[in-house]
Amino acid sequence: MALSKLSLLNHITKTLTKPCRLQSHAPPPTFLPIRLFSFATPEEAAAERRKRKRRLRIEPPLSAFRQQQQQQPRPSPSPAPQNPNAPKLPEPVSALSGNRLNLHNRILKLIRENDLEEAALLTRHSIYSNCRPTIYTCNSVMAAQLRQSKYSELLSLHRFITQAGVAANVVTYNLLLNVYLDCRKTDLALEQYKQLINDAPFNPSPTTYRILIKGLVDNQQVEKALELKDEMQSKGFKPDPTIYSYLMLGQAKNSNADGVFELYEELKQKLGTDEISDGVIYGNLMKGYFLKGMETEAMELYKKAIGEGSLVKMNAIAGFEQERKVEEALRLFERMKNEHDPPRKLSVNLGSYNIVVDGYCAAKKFGDAIDVFNSMGEKRCSPDTLSYNVLIDHLCNNDKLAEAEELYNGMGDKKVNPDEYTFVTLMDACFKENRPDDAAQYFKTMVESKLRPNLAVYNRLMEGLVKVGKIDEAKSFFDLMIPKLRMNDDAYKFIMNALFENGRHDEVLKIVGGMLREDPNDFTEEVEEFVREGLRKEGREDEVTNLKSEVEREKAEAAAKVAEEAERAKASARAAVASLLPSKLLGKKDDEVKDGEEEESTEDAVTENGVDYETSEGVVISSKEGNGVSEQVTA
Amino acid sequence: MASPLSSILRARFSFTIVSSRGKVRPSLPFISVPKTLTRNPSFPGIRALSTSAVPDGFHRPNTQPSNPSLNFNQNPDNQWAPRNNDIGNPSSNRNSNFQNQGYSSGYANSGVNQGYPNQGGLNSGQGDLQGGMNPSPNFPNQGFRQNQNYPSPRGNVNQWSNNQNQGYGRNPTPNLDRNYPPQGGFQNQAYQQNPNQSQSYPNGGSESRSVMSDQAGPPDLLSLCREGKVKEVIEHMDEVVRANAECFSFLFQLCANSKKFEDAKKVHDYFLRSTFRSDLQLNNMVLDMYSKCGSMTDARRVFDHMPDRNMDSWHLMINGYAANGLGDDGLALFEQMRKLGLPPSEQTFLSVLEACASAEAIEEGFIHFESMKADYGISPGIEHYLGLLGVLGKSGHLAEAEAYIETLPFKPTAVIWEALMNYARIHGDIDLEDRAEELMVNLDPSKAITNKIPTPPPKKQSSINMLVGKNRIPEFRNPTLYKDDEKLRAAKKEQAYVPDTRYVLHDIDQEAKEQALLYHSERLAIAYGLISTPARTPLRIIKNLRVCGDCHNAIKIMSRIVGRELIVRDNKRFHHFKDGKCSCNDYWVIGLSYWDPWLFSIQQSCGFSSNL
């Protein structure tokens, strides 16, 4: 239960914001319609926007020139030519029409079919075609890739479109920031942000700051996040309760209760209201009270929140918070579920389910936990891999392997892909339950589905197999992993030891041979000593030396062969060029060549569509010289 | 993206037509003047009332009884009560946006003679009436000279014929007033030129057109126009066949739809030489044509030289700027408009919001929206909210757009959600798209998309799954790639283009050699082939000389990047480049990669590269 406290608090506040806003149509919330403008008049806003563009060497609008010209009779009649260094403006939405719109829709369809590879490839291929994808299409693909955590594909696509000169828009920047922060690369993210501020021909959106600040808080960089918040406000963005809630959460995580209250006061002051109707804030504020041990204030706060109707679920937080009221908390969870009415109103989500499941597990009520977990679909929440993993982990730790396996088998139906965590948990549990075959099977499935268990997992598998005397199986897994996993001395020694003990010295030698051929560096002195030691008992110590010299010899032969190949290729090339030479050297066949080439040279290069590419230089050269070797078209 | 908007407008538009048809003209005189004034007491343009008090009182009665807020535009007399359009009428000017739709379709249906069925008949009191008004045609302000039925669709037969008759009866002398709004039609212009003739043909345009064609010679431009043969018409005009106004309006329409700038330019040239060059409607159509053809510079030139402009001209310009991604210019124009003291209407603000969306000027969008309410007393309609949503949505501020919907002063309708769904589609936010779609379908089940592919579940829901810190993946996963994967990746990385300047035999510096390589004809041909064919179609390039080694390498890499098969024939063999490999197995390149100085010297000595 201990873990769930804070997270539920956090979670509920998050889920609360939406329903709270959605419900409040009848009486509009107090603070939202008050839109704080950073400019008094449209002229000022326009001037600021244009100033930014000018700084980026983008031309002011046509009419601006006109006006200038009217004022002062024609000082400079021709406007300055477009600066080639000016950043490209992203294409407007109107570019998304005709064929490009068809392409967009086609790619959206691929995304829905979850064929992201094809979507990305088609986008790339379309860049160099008569139907260039818009930045919107590229963004859609990248958003889908982000959604499926395909970060490297996303970055590579981004690099590709940047190289191809597709100008990024604010959505692109937001996606990229998201990626960097998900990958815990805050420095890169901040650099990207700086680039956006300095070079992009548009302003960041409030979402940009939400992404950045949330990412920084998640990466334990609250100080930087606070700086960024101040910067945001200096740029004239209105204070955003969501951003404050992130920051308060960060302060609460750092157990800095004063920081939480400071932020709350600051927000109140900035918005100029006493009450903040945005529920996100309250959860974190309560967290601050709890941190200070001021439970009564916290309870008061949430009672106030109850008054707001949809904020009723604050109860649940308090219930969990005090740990005594688990039952009450669960009742409120029921209530939340009842209020859940997608899509209009989203009061529960995966997070709430996870918390409750976690709570049941902590209370050792595994049946209930599984029931709640499986009922998630009723409220249109779908579990992700991690939710499965955590529950499976709980079950395995409590000797409920059968239930865990049942869950695992259900993952396929829900289109959730198991990862290393899933497999390894199950594998370990199987060894514990004395089912080494099943454990081996899990490992095998894991490797086959392109996952990458590390050496420690592999070692556990080997140990488990060898312990029960399954040497053959262990050897087969060794063979499976040797081309993949980088092993250390101990791993080698372990399998060799097992083989020695079973009197299979030849196989050890085979392994050594393989090591020498593939990864000679792996065959360290320690391993060598170990092998010699093992063979010495059999009196076959020399075989290692023999093997080594044999491999040396093989390698030398191979090297010689390569050199010979190269020499032969060189000779043939020489012959090929020489065979071309006589006609030129001696001018014997000059006439024939000329005739033949003059015919052809009327069309130097023809594309498929019958587009003539008459490079007259090419024609001239070839007809004069009859030179077929290398035609040079100079610009 | 205008679909939700346009659907609303279309709906209202049809309504206005119906109401104006069912109207009886001489009813309820004079009653509504005070009513209108009280409705908008603070209206800034009220000074316009002083310009022609008589017609003002005279005509408003006609418009009021049926539906005061909707059908000003449709009323044929409306040009005499122009302020009505500025006063709190949410739908009046909007029609101009859709004039083209209504126009072309209406015309196609109406056939040849339908446009003039009643010409002689309705000539009665109207002429007198207007004659009484003509003495005071000096309008104080261009902005008020608007809506001479310009936006109304031609298909609407009754209105047209009424209008024509007005002009008809009124203009026995053609040059009565240059500024006189060319009533309802382009035919009138022709009649003005030949007043006697047209009067003697009281029943209709067919005769008068035959008169025209008698003048113009055999080719019937009008029917050619109707068939959409712009080229032929232009050819005829080259042969000094003079087109009439209707013909021009057709041509403008056609050029705008086909987006052919060259044609547009030509037609406009002829238009400038014609006698209608100062016609307001036709000039507006020119603006529209140029903005549709994507040349706002030309549109602006026309706009600046227009002898008089109406609100539609401004709207067309601002909309044109917005549609061409020059929202900034549109906003600058709006500033200018306000400085001139022209009172903006609802339609103006729709255009301005479009321009804001195009310029991604979100802040300004909100400021204008506020000022619309505060300064001009125009209460925003749903289309304005949609416009503002568009400002956010088109600029990619989707989260803000969603938050904005939640603050709307009314319950969001299906149209709003549909708009959000479309913006989410544009920017590729699947989750938001699904949510908006569901909300839309909830409100309007008829919009449900059949056989929709279910959305794939996201891989991670780390933002909501509340399991931060519980992931034990790092304990289990290998931190680096497996050895075999690394090898694969290394194999992939090998391909990169490095200019191989050994194939440039000129004595120039390194950089110039690299430059020279870029212009080998096969590369140029491939480049052109790529940009002119759809993705993934193979290209066939034929070259009469042997491909150089550097090009061979470059094309190999190109084939991988563009994902096409590039079939290049040089004078020795076919090279099929695919996936970064060539079917010749680099025979040619291996041959040349051992190019050595000895050979090179031979070549030089025998004048090989003398003129290369």
Side-chain angles (χ1 to χ4, degrees):
Chain A
M1 229 36 165
L3 254 173
S4 59
K5 283 192 300 184
L6 286 182
S7 42
L8 180 74
L9 175 74
N10 178 21
H11 153 66
I12 300 245
T13 51
K14 274 180 198 162
T15 49
L16 275 176
T17 54
K18 282 201 171 168
C20 147
R21 282 192 195 159
L22 279 174
Q23 268 200 343
S24 54
H25 283 303
T30 44
F31 89 100
L32 280 166
I34 307 165
R35 201 181 160 89
L36 302 172
F37 295 120
S38 40
F39 304 104
T41 64
E43 282 82 1
E44 274 176 39
E48 174 60 31
R49 197 158 36 83
R50 285 167 196 153
K51 204 168 84 191
R52 179 183 173 86
K53 285 195 173 173
R54 253 197 302 284
R55 186 164 56 78
L56 293 166
R57 301 179 292 263
I58 294 172
E59 274 187 33
L62 303 168
S63 44
F65 273 110
R66 199 180 310 278
Q67 279 171 355
Q68 273 174 9
Q69 283 177 1
Q70 279 168 359
Q71 282 160 9
Q72 19 184 298
R74 231 163 278 256
S76 58
S78 63
Q82 179 80 43
N83 188 329
N85 295 327
K88 269 181 138 181
L89 284 172
E91 285 181 292
V93 174
S94 51
L96 199 60
S97 59
N99 273 339
R100 303 177 89 185
L101 183 59
N102 292 344
L103 177 69
H104 187 73
N105 287 332
R106 200 167 141 204
I107 285 188
L108 285 184
K109 186 157 171 273
L110 284 172
I111 289 172
R112 287 207 172 262
E113 285 162 355
N114 216 7
D115 192 354
L116 292 188
E117 227 165 275
E118 171 63 11
L121 211 58
L122 185 57
T123 314
R124 279 168 178 243
H125 291 167
S126 304
I127 292 259
Y128 297 104
S129 76
N130 61 357
C131 175
R132 208 171 146 87
T134 52
I135 183 66
Y136 304 99
T137 311
C138 302
N139 283 343
S140 305
V141 178
M142 288 195 280
Q145 283 171 331
L146 177 67
R147 204 164 164 269
Q148 300 295 337
S149 315
K150 299 196 167 176
Y151 300 122
S152 60
E153 283 91 339
L154 191 159
L155 290 173
S156 118
L157 178 63
H158 178 256
R159 202 159 43 234
F160 191 86
I161 62 162
T162 314
Q163 270 185 356
V166 180
N169 64 14
V170 71
V171 180
T172 323
Y173 275 96
N174 287 349
L175 285 169
L176 219 54
L177 289 175
N178 241 329
V179 172
Y180 288 140
L181 291 166
D182 273 10
C183 298
R184 312 195 157 270
K185 307 255 191 254
T186 44
D187 292 345
L188 279 176
L190 287 172
E191 207 169 290
Q192 191 72 34
Y193 165 72
K194 221 172 267 166
Q195 198 190 330
L196 166 63
I197 294 295
N198 291 336
D199 298 337
F202 43 78
N203 285 314
S205 68
T207 309
T208 313
Y209 286 101
R210 282 193 193 177
I211 292 170
L212 262 175
I213 288 180
K214 178 165 190 304
L216 286 173
V217 168
D218 286 348
N219 287 298
Q220 284 85 43
Q221 305 207 12
V222 182
E223 286 306 309
K224 269 195 188 144
L226 285 169
E227 272 170 38
L228 205 63
K229 176 209 70 183
D230 293 336
E231 191 184 326
M232 174 182 174
Q233 273 155 15
S234 71
K235 283 191 188 302
F237 284 92
K238 59 173 182 158
D240 179 2
T242 315
I243 283 183
Y244 275 86
S245 80
Y246 292 146
L247 289 168
M248 284 161 80
L249 179 70
Q251 295 286 30
K253 258 191 206 160
N254 290 348
S255 311
N256 182 358
D258 294 331
V260 175
F261 293 118
E262 251 169 52
L263 282 167
Y264 177 64
E265 291 303 321
E266 189 185 321
L267 178 64
K268 271 209 298 195
Q269 191 196 336
K270 288 254 162 72
L271 287 175
T273 49
D274 271 351
E275 303 279 322
I276 295 168
S277 63
D278 207 324
V280 255
I281 291 300
Y282 287 110
N284 290 316
L285 192 61
M286 284 174 66
K287 222 179 248 186
Y289 281 124
F290 280 119
L291 273 175
K292 283 195 146 186
M294 298 157 71
E295 289 200 7
T296 40
E297 279 87 348
M299 295 306 277
E300 249 169 49
L301 184 67
Y302 97 77
K303 269 183 193 137
K304 206 162 73 183
I306 291 172
E308 306 259 328
S310 65
L311 300 185
V312 150
K313 282 140 280 174
M314 283 294 174
N315 273 332
I317 308 161
F320 270 107
E321 199 65 48
Q322 288 164 334
E323 294 195 31
R324 280 163 271 153
K325 297 181 181 171
V326 179
E327 285 308 312
E328 189 189 342
L330 289 173
R331 212 176 56 231
L332 279 154
F333 175 67
E334 281 301 314
R335 193 162 159 190
M336 280 163 73
K337 276 206 293 190
N338 292 338
E339 281 176 22
H340 189 61
D341 176 26
R344 193 78 223 121
K345 186 156 182 268
L346 309 172
S347 58
V348 288
N349 66 7
L350 173 62
S352 14
Y353 275 100
N354 279 340
I355 297 298
V356 174
V357 168
D358 218 36
Y360 274 125
C361 287
K364 306 276 177 203
K365 292 178 174 171
F366 295 104
D368 292 338
I370 294 172
D371 286 346
V372 171
F373 191 83
N374 286 333
S375 69
M376 212 182 283
E378 292 164 17
K379 297 292 173 195
R380 291 209 296 182
C381 295
S382 58
D384 65 351
T385 312
L386 188 55
S387 320
Y388 268 108
N389 288 347
V390 171
L391 182 55
I392 288 179
D393 202 0
H394 274 301
L395 292 172
C396 288
N397 285 338
N398 290 283
D399 304 324
K400 304 261 180 202
L401 182 55
E403 285 88 342
E405 281 183 319
E406 202 175 304
L407 274 175
Y408 162 75
N409 290 330
M411 284 172 88
D413 298 339
K414 300 223 168 136
K415 292 191 177 147
V416 181
N417 293 324
D419 60 10
E420 285 93 341
Y421 188 0
T422 329
F423 282 115
V424 176
T425 314
L426 287 168
M427 184 187 93
D428 288 345
C430 280
F431 275 125
K432 215 162 64 184
E433 297 260 309
N434 203 12
R435 287 164 48 190
D437 288 335
D438 291 333
Q441 190 53 44
Y442 281 125
F443 188 86
K444 203 165 175 197
T445 321
M446 165 162 57
V447 174
E448 277 166 1
S449 46
K450 302 250 174 213
L451 295 172
R452 306 191 313 254
N454 61 13
L455 192 61
V457 174
Y458 162 81
N459 285 342
R460 283 214 292 281
L461 172 78
M462 287 315 227
E463 260 170 53
L465 288 176
V466 169
K467 206 158 62 187
V468 294
K470 292 188 179 285
I471 306 295
D472 282 334
E473 293 218 353
K475 176 68 171 49
S476 76
F477 276 106
F478 174 77
D479 291 340
L480 176 71
M481 297 308 289
I482 187 79
K484 297 174 181 290
L485 194 59
R486 205 169 292 283
M487 299 195 190
N488 59 12
D489 292 350
D490 289 335
Y492 281 117
K493 273 152 76 178
F494 183 82
I495 181 74
M496 286 171 177
N497 192 31
L499 289 171
F500 279 140
E501 279 174 8
N502 285 274
R504 294 155 76 164
H505 294 75
D506 292 340
E507 286 184 24
V508 176
L509 278 175
K510 254 187 217 162
I511 294 173
V512 173
M515 284 169 78
L516 286 170
R517 286 187 189 94
E518 298 295 328
D519 301 290
N521 292 338
D522 274 9
F523 195 58
T524 54
E525 283 176 15
E526 198 185 334
V527 177
E528 187 174 349
E529 191 50 43
F530 179 80
V531 175
R532 282 175 192 277
E533 186 73 39
L535 287 174
R536 200 174 292 140
K537 288 174 194 159
E538 289 278 304
R540 299 166 64 177
E541 195 187 345
D542 296 344
E543 287 182 34
V544 178
T545 324
N546 292 346
L547 193 62
K548 272 177 105 174
S549 54
E550 192 185 321
V551 172
E552 291 285 318
R553 206 183 61 238
E554 268 174 31
K555 279 190 180 164
E557 272 172 21
K561 215 172 175 182
V562 169
E564 198 182 319
E565 284 280 318
E567 189 56 37
R568 204 183 303 147
K570 205 168 172 180
S572 74
R574 216 173 271 175
V577 176
S579 72
L580 292 168
L581 287 177
S583 62
K584 281 82 193 188
L585 269 178
L586 312 169
K588 270 180 196 167
K589 296 176 187 169
D590 230 11
D591 298 341
E592 293 169 32
V593 173
K594 253 188 204 168
D595 289 346
E597 293 209 357
E598 263 168 358
E599 269 175 44
E600 280 181 316
S601 56
T602 48
E603 284 184 350
D604 187 25
V606 180
T607 63
E608 181 206 26
N609 289 3
V611 183
D612 286 3
Y613 236 89
E614 290 185 24
T615 45
S616 54
E617 296 95 330
V619 176
V620 173
I621 291 169
S622 46
S623 54
K624 266 189 196 162
E625 285 290 305
N627 176 351
V629 174
S630 61
E631 157 263 4
Q632 303 289 320
V633 184
T634 44
Chain B
M1 285 323 303
S3 60
L5 189 60
S6 60
S7 62
I8 300 177
L9 298 181
R10 249 178 258 134
R12 293 219 186 174
F13 186 44
S14 57
F15 172 60
T16 54
I17 289 175
V18 169
S19 64
S20 65
R21 268 186 184 163
K23 189 176 52 180
V24 184
R25 294 182 132 246
S27 59
L28 293 184
F30 297 102
I31 281 180
S32 60
V33 178
K35 198 164 142 199
T36 318
L37 289 178
T38 47
R39 263 204 324 170
N40 292 292
S42 65
F43 181 65
I46 208 143
R47 62 203 150 92
L49 284 171
S50 64
T51 55
S52 61
V54 176
D56 193 37
F58 223 92
H59 282 266
R60 195 154 295 145
N62 289 339
T63 65
Q64 291 289 354
S66 62
N67 190 336
S69 70
L70 283 175
N71 62 1
F72 291 148
N73 237 356
Q74 307 303 326
N75 193 314
D77 295 334
N78 211 10
Q79 68 274 22
W80 296 112
R83 293 145 223 87
N84 289 349
N85 291 309
D86 289 339
I87 297 173
N89 179 350
S91 66
S92 62
N93 287 321
R94 208 175 304 123
N95 295 331
S96 63
N97 256 355
F98 299 100
Q99 46 147 336
N100 293 326
Q101 298 168 5
Y103 194 104
S104 48
S105 62
Y107 205 90
N109 293 336
S110 64
V112 182
N113 280 326
Q114 280 186 8
Y116 324 83
N118 298 323
Q119 291 227 334
L122 276 171
N123 226 346
S124 58
Q126 303 250 335
D128 302 337
L129 199 147
Q130 309 233 324
M133 284 182 287
N134 277 336
S136 60
N138 295 322
F139 295 97
N141 191 326
Q142 294 173 350
F144 297 123
R145 302 194 53 253
Q146 49 184 291
N147 289 321
Q148 299 83 347
N149 260 358
Y150 159 57
S152 69
R154 295 205 135 194
N156 197 335
V157 174
N158 293 333
Q159 293 176 18
W160 266 126
S161 49
N162 285 344
N163 242 349
Q164 284 172 350
N165 289 327
Q166 288 174 15
Y168 209 170
R170 194 169 12 97
N171 287 328
T173 49
N175 56 352
L176 190 121
D177 173 21
R178 193 188 69 85
N179 270 342
Y180 199 83
Q183 302 282 327
F186 312 112
Q187 293 85 4
N188 282 335
Q189 294 278 349
Y191 296 143
Q192 283 180 10
Q193 288 171 356
N194 306 316
N196 297 325
Q197 279 186 20
S198 53
Q199 279 197 339
S200 63
Y201 292 106
N203 61 341
S206 56
E207 282 90 345
S208 72
R209 220 182 50 250
S210 70
V211 171
M212 286 298 291
S213 53
D214 282 344
Q215 285 181 334
D220 185 1
L221 294 187
L222 211 54
S223 60
L224 277 177
C225 286
R226 224 161 266 152
E227 289 162 30
K229 292 177 176 165
V230 183
K231 280 267 178 296
E232 280 86 341
V233 177
I234 291 175
E235 269 165 32
H236 284 308
M237 293 204 312
D238 283 337
E239 296 155 13
V240 209
V241 178
R242 291 174 70 185
N244 61 6
E246 191 188 1
C247 195
F248 272 120
S249 81
F250 262 118
L251 284 172
F252 294 149
Q253 214 62 231
L254 288 168
C255 291
N257 291 341
S258 65
K259 298 190 169 41
K260 281 186 184 139
F261 179 62
E262 296 302 313
D263 290 351
K265 202 81 184 150
K266 271 189 192 153
V267 172
H268 185 224
D269 273 355
Y270 287 113
F271 173 67
L272 287 180
R273 281 181 235 161
S274 75
T275 43
F276 328 109
R277 51 178 302 170
S278 56
D279 181 292
L280 181 56
Q281 265 77 55
L282 287 178
N283 267 314
N284 278 348
M285 294 184 81
V286 172
L287 293 183
D288 187 47
M289 171 177 76
Y290 273 133
S291 58
K292 288 231 171 82
C293 292
S295 172
M296 284 316 288
T297 0
D298 285 290
R300 182 62 188 242
R301 196 174 301 129
V302 175
F303 181 78
D304 286 344
H305 290 103
M306 273 167 81
D308 43 46
R309 306 168 190 139
N310 60 11
M311 287 306 271
D312 286 325
S313 321
W314 291 93
H315 298 161
L316 279 170
M317 278 307 286
I318 299 177
N319 274 333
Y321 276 129
N324 287 292
L326 298 164
D328 216 1
D329 299 75
L331 290 176
L333 197 65
F334 179 61
E335 270 172 42
Q336 200 184 329
M337 179 176 161
R338 290 198 313 173
K339 273 185 198 137
L340 287 176
L342 298 182
S345 65
E346 289 90 352
Q347 175 62 32
T348 318
F349 277 106
L350 280 184
S351 309
V352 167
L353 288 175
E354 275 291 303
C356 287
S358 156
E360 306 200 347
I362 294 155
E363 192 88 354
E364 270 170 277
F366 278 95
I367 294 175
H368 286 308
F369 187 77
E370 291 298 322
S371 82
M372 176 171 100
K373 281 188 281 190
D375 303 344
Y376 300 99
I378 300 171
S379 59
I382 189 168
E383 58 274 13
H384 292 105
Y385 287 105
L386 275 172
L388 207 50
L389 189 65
V391 174
L392 288 167
K394 286 183 187 167
S395 322
H397 293 210
L398 285 181
E400 289 75 20
E402 199 189 354
Y404 177 69
I405 288 182
E406 281 156 17
T407 65
L408 287 181
F410 53 92
K411 206 165 184 302
T413 59
V415 187
I416 298 259
W417 291 119
E418 190 180 3
L420 184 67
M421 181 187 82
N422 285 333
Y423 294 129
R425 262 185 89 79
I426 287 179
H427 295 289
D429 189 336
I430 302 188
D431 297 312
L432 183 62
E433 184 194 329
D434 285 347
R435 210 172 104 73
E437 190 199 325
E438 228 180 308
L439 288 163
M440 176 189 79
V441 172
N442 263 5
L443 294 172
D444 184 359
S446 66
K447 281 187 177 159
I449 299 165
T450 48
N451 62 45
K452 191 169 168 276
I453 308 162
T455 315
K459 186 164 178 216
K460 266 194 201 168
Q461 305 185 30
S462 42
S463 54
I464 57 161
N465 68 10
M466 310 299 299
L467 295 170
V468 181
K470 290 208 173 182
N471 203 345
R472 287 170 61 196
I473 284 274
E475 290 175 42
F476 305 130
R477 179 179 288 169
N478 208 31
T480 55
L481 282 178
Y482 275 170
K483 284 190 275 184
D484 48 350
D485 292 335
E486 261 172 25
K487 273 178 203 156
L488 275 180
R489 188 165 287 196
K492 264 188 196 168
K493 260 193 186 158
E494 262 171 28
Q495 283 191 330
Y497 175 70
V498 181
D500 189 349
T501 49
R502 287 174 303 176
Y503 300 98
V504 184
L505 305 177
H506 304 253
D507 186 18
I508 44 180
D509 64 24
Q510 187 65 21
E511 204 172 316
K513 281 184 177 183
E514 287 175 12
Q515 281 280 315
L517 282 172
L518 297 179
Y519 300 103
H520 284 188
S521 59
E522 56 269 49
R523 288 190 214 191
L524 296 176
I526 290 175
Y528 185 78
L530 288 177
I531 58 166
S532 52
T533 54
R536 293 181 174 171
T537 47
L539 284 183
R540 292 184 182 78
I541 313 286
I542 300 170
K543 183 178 164 67
N544 62 337
L545 304 169
R546 280 194 79 174
V547 63
C548 90
D550 186 64
C551 286
H552 196 272
N553 274 336
I555 298 170
K556 277 204 293 184
I557 294 165
M558 279 183 210
S559 72
R560 219 169 78 90
I561 292 174
V562 303
R564 306 191 193 209
E565 189 174 12
L566 302 173
I567 304 166
V568 182
R569 200 204 78 174
D570 65 7
N571 73 342
K572 289 285 172 191
R573 57 176 50 77
F574 282 96
H575 299 266
H576 291 248
F577 294 95
K578 202 175 180 184
D579 276 341
K581 292 195 188 77
C582 175
S583 60
C584 79
N585 271 332
D586 296 349
Y587 178 83
W588 174 229
V589 185
I590 289 175
L592 284 184
S593 61
Y594 294 97
W595 195 270
D596 70 23
W598 178 77
L599 283 175
F600 191 62
S601 64
I602 292 181
Q603 282 195 319
Q604 280 187 325
S605 66
C606 56
F608 239 69
S609 52
S610 55
N611 81 334
L612 293 176

